Amino acid sequence: MLPTRTPALLRKLFPSLTWSVERDEKCVYLTFDDGPHPEITPWVMEELDKYGFKATFFCIGDNVRKYPETYQEILNNGHRTGNHTFNHLKGFSTSSPTYFENIQECAQLVKSELYRPPYGQITFSQIKHLSKQYQIIMWSLLVEDWNPKLDQAKKLSLLSSETKSGDIIVFHDSEKAFENLKVILPEYLEFLSNAGFSSVVF
Ligand SMILES: [Zn+2]
């Protein structure tokens, strides 16, 4: 199982990436990757609405092309969006020109200064190039909602006990993650609300 909290060493190695945000007030940054999805994304937004929470959706360009209405709904509901490449490319195994082109293709549809690399894969030279144009958003807490073997109750209690102000938490509004998401998200949002956290966008 992957660690819930991003190791400090990784954060130190890549200091120019955003791993969390210093905040005085009690708030977190909920983020959802790999959408938009015509059923799951609206469901996520309904859950967020119950608490007035806002979130950031890192969208795959090809999904925005397929589901433009859902994408527009995200913006209409006051959430933020970010670039997650057009085809969900891996930074380590893709040549930089192809990688940057794919991000540019996504940028035609996703107008945002926020970028999140798929799989968290990004090289030093890619960071250098992309930092000129984007704030690169990583995460401090990982839900692992894509994992079919996830112990949902254990993960939920880990997440709840670990959550600190300024944390960036990554979920997925994708079919692969939905089995876990539909259990974990409502309970986690309830926890956040009861504990006095709000959810804000970048
Ligand atoms: Zn992704």
Side-chain angles (χ1 to χ4, degrees):
M1 219 191 235
L2 296 162
T4 298
R5 182 167 290 283
T6 304
L9 179 66
L10 204 58
R11 301 172 58 123
K12 265 198 197 125
L13 267 174
F14 297 95
S16 62
L17 305 181
T18 302
W19 295 95
S20 60
V21 182
E22 290 286 329
R23 298 289 299 223
D24 290 331
E25 69 270 46
K26 224 173 167 186
C27 63
V28 294
Y29 295 78
L30 298 175
T31 66
F32 295 86
D33 289 6
D34 298 356
H37 182 284
E39 280 109 46
I40 299 167
T41 309
W43 177 83
V44 166
M45 290 193 283
E46 255 174 56
E47 293 300 314
L48 294 169
D49 275 351
K50 290 178 184 170
Y51 304 97
F53 288 169
K54 297 299 175 201
T56 307
F57 292 80
F58 288 93
C59 296
I60 296 175
D62 199 36
N63 287 340
V64 178
R65 180 189 63 77
K66 283 192 261 186
Y67 311 115
E69 293 90 359
T70 309
Y71 181 76
Q72 194 53 48
E73 248 180 87
I74 298 175
L75 297 173
N76 292 349
N77 286 324
H79 303 290
R80 258 201 103 172
T81 58
N83 189 318
H84 197 49
T85 75
F86 196 85
N87 297 107
H88 209 246
L89 296 187
K90 290 181 170 159
F92 294 168
S93 51
T94 309
S95 76
S96 285
T98 305
Y99 190 66
F100 298 147
E101 250 170 57
N102 206 261
I103 292 166
Q104 193 47 45
E105 204 180 340
C106 181
Q108 305 290 324
L109 300 174
V110 178
K111 310 284 177 209
S112 174
E113 310 81 60
L114 304 177
Y115 177 70
R116 174 173 283 163
Y119 310 96
Q121 289 191 9
I122 191 159
T123 65
F124 285 110
S125 69
Q126 288 164 354
I127 292 169
K128 199 173 164 210
H129 180 87
L130 292 170
S131 295
K132 290 177 208 150
Q133 207 179 334
Y134 294 100
Q135 184 183 359
I136 304 172
I137 310 288
M138 304 303 272
W139 56 83
S140 52
L141 290 179
L142 192 63
V143 182
E144 240 187 308
D145 49 1
W146 69 85
N147 180 355
K149 295 197 179 86
L150 186 75
D151 184 334
Q152 295 166 343
K154 198 175 158 196
K155 179 56 75 168
L156 197 57
S157 84
L158 248 177
L159 266 182
S160 306
S161 61
E162 281 275 328
T163 302
K164 291 192 307 215
S165 207
D167 267 331
I168 301 171
I169 302 136
V170 58
F171 295 91
H172 294 80
D173 48 338
S174 70
E175 273 169 35
K176 205 174 158 192
F178 194 49
E179 277 302 305
N180 286 318
L181 191 70
K182 66 187 174 196
V183 176
I184 290 178
L185 186 66
E187 291 199 38
Y188 186 60
L189 297 183
E190 200 186 345
F191 154 77
L192 288 175
S193 176
N194 289 340
F197 285 99
S198 61
S199 173
V200 294
V201 294
F202 296 97

